[in-house]
Amino acid sequence: MSHPSKTLDIVALGEAMVEFNQTPGPGANEAGMYLQGFGGDTSNAAIAAARAGARVAYLTRLGTDRWGERLMDLWQRENVDTHTVLRDTQAPTGLYFVSHDAQGYHFSYARAGSAASRMQVQDLAHWQDAIASSQWLHLSGISLAISASACDTAFAAMAHARQSGTRVALDSNLRLSLWPLARAQACIRHAVSCCDVFLPSLEDMTALTGLRQAQDIIQWSHAQGAAQVVLKLGAEGAVASDGQTQRSLPGHTVQAIDATGAGDCFAGNLLARLSAGDRLWDATAYANAAASLSVQGYGAVTPLPRQEAVLSFLNQGASA
């Protein structure tokens, strides 16, 4: 299902950041070193999609600092088109830190006033051609949460996508440290009404809506206007629905080390496979496998699998 007028498969919009991820210390209660990597949910998804073979570009603002240069180098290495990246001389590139303990992983951010948070609707003038020439525009709850102007920019980008015949994908990615619950509820509900595929997690949706059952969450998502819904259940896999048919696609049992970027990996691989013409169920099964591989290494980007690794993993499962 390729579109001759679409020269890109996916454009993703949001904030990319430099990551410092804590590794285990030498003793049980000792902190480890921090490995410098990269993150930002929609950037992770863009790289995941590129590693899966999709043609991808990224829409954001970066500082003109050293960290911004490192991100530009990363995208160029990963075959993510950077001609849509705007550089802001007045603001820094965002940073974040990941620490680990028995309760899981914890984020702390140094992103207030970042270049990406200064996105504004006028930036769409630089991005509208890329959006129109792509099969998918991908955003997340974080794309909306980083500032009021970024939220306005995201909604304008979604509207332009719909006018251009570009489908919209939204990952819930709720971060209540970034905005109040009432605003998150209103903005994400509106964003769901503008999207073609919604990728919520169970935890996010319970916080946003109070719903706890997969069936109720999928029903709520369709009622807001999402044509397709893929509810991410972590190690349990995912439930996909196109409004008529619903299927549970089981996860894979793996040794999980760091789940920091698993949901982003899932989103990028799902969109890559939908862009290639897969049915929703096949794309979801592929995304489940990719996410299972991604949790077996540290950091958001390094463990993102390439297409041959995912196909090999799926073939092993089929022959097991």
Side-chain angles (χ1 to χ4, degrees):
M1 193 174 66
S2 96
H3 300 259
S5 63
K6 302 288 189 181
T7 53
L8 288 165
D9 296 314
I10 301 152
V11 292
L13 183 149
E15 176 166 32
M17 290 180 292
V18 174
E19 170 190 85
F20 294 92
N21 202 319
Q22 189 181 41
T23 58
N29 297 312
E30 293 180 54
M33 302 280 285
Y34 279 84
L35 288 177
Q36 190 257 300
F38 301 96
D41 59 344
T42 54
S43 171
N44 301 338
I47 293 168
R51 288 190 181 184
R55 301 165 301 171
V56 185
Y58 198 59
L59 315 179
T60 193
R61 282 186 179 215
L62 287 180
T64 51
D65 47 26
R66 178 169 170 261
W67 300 123
E69 292 304 321
R70 298 290 292 276
L71 279 161
M72 291 293 279
D73 291 345
L74 169 75
W75 291 322
Q76 280 151 10
R77 281 200 307 277
E78 296 290 348
N79 295 315
V80 173
D81 193 325
T82 57
H83 81 274
T84 46
V85 176
L86 304 177
R87 304 302 295 270
D88 189 329
T89 58
Q90 306 298 311
T93 303
L95 312 177
Y96 73 102
F97 301 82
V98 188
S99 56
H100 303 267
D101 60 22
Q103 281 71 52
Y105 55 89
H106 308 276
F107 292 96
S108 16
Y109 296 98
R111 78 193 315 176
S114 69
S117 72
R118 288 156 51 95
M119 272 191 266
Q120 49 194 299
V121 173
Q122 295 93 300
D123 294 343
L124 209 59
H126 300 280
W127 297 338
Q128 57 192 16
D129 290 349
I131 293 170
S133 63
S134 184
Q135 292 196 52
W136 287 95
L137 167 67
H138 176 59
L139 324 88
S140 75
I142 297 175
S143 310
L144 308 173
I146 52 175
S147 68
S149 69
C151 189
D152 291 345
T153 307
F155 284 134
M158 292 167 102
H160 181 67
R162 301 305 286 273
Q163 290 159 14
S164 308
T166 296
R167 290 169 290 171
V168 176
L170 176 75
D171 192 320
S172 58
N173 272 4
L174 179 67
R175 296 286 186 274
L176 289 175
S177 58
L178 292 174
W179 54 350
L181 177 60
R183 180 167 165 80
Q185 288 169 323
C187 292
I188 291 176
R189 187 184 298 117
H190 179 63
V192 174
S193 76
C194 304
C195 78
D196 297 277
V197 64
F198 181 41
L199 307 173
S201 72
L202 194 59
E203 187 182 6
D204 285 354
M205 296 311 288
T206 299
L208 278 169
T209 66
L211 301 172
R212 296 178 184 278
Q213 300 301 316
Q215 195 56 56
D216 295 337
I217 290 166
I218 287 168
Q219 199 173 339
W220 179 93
S221 303
H222 284 310
Q224 307 312 309
Q228 297 179 314
V229 183
V230 183
L231 177 63
K232 297 172 290 180
L233 302 172
E236 305 299 312
V239 182
S241 170
D242 64 2
Q244 276 77 49
T245 306
Q246 190 174 305
R247 293 192 194 177
S248 291
L249 293 122
H252 301 270
T253 305
V254 295
Q255 185 65 47
I257 294 174
D258 179 7
T260 307
D264 309 330
C265 176
F266 184 98
N269 279 277
L270 180 91
L271 294 177
R273 292 316 309 162
L274 290 175
S275 298
D278 280 11
R279 296 180 309 160
L280 183 64
W281 333 111
D282 299 327
T284 302
Y286 184 98
N288 267 341
S292 298
L293 289 171
S294 77
V295 301
Q296 297 179 60
Y298 281 105
V301 172
T302 304
L304 294 171
R306 299 191 184 276
Q307 192 171 23
E308 52 273 22
V310 182
L311 294 172
S312 169
F313 183 70
L314 284 168
N315 288 336
Q316 286 168 14
S319 60

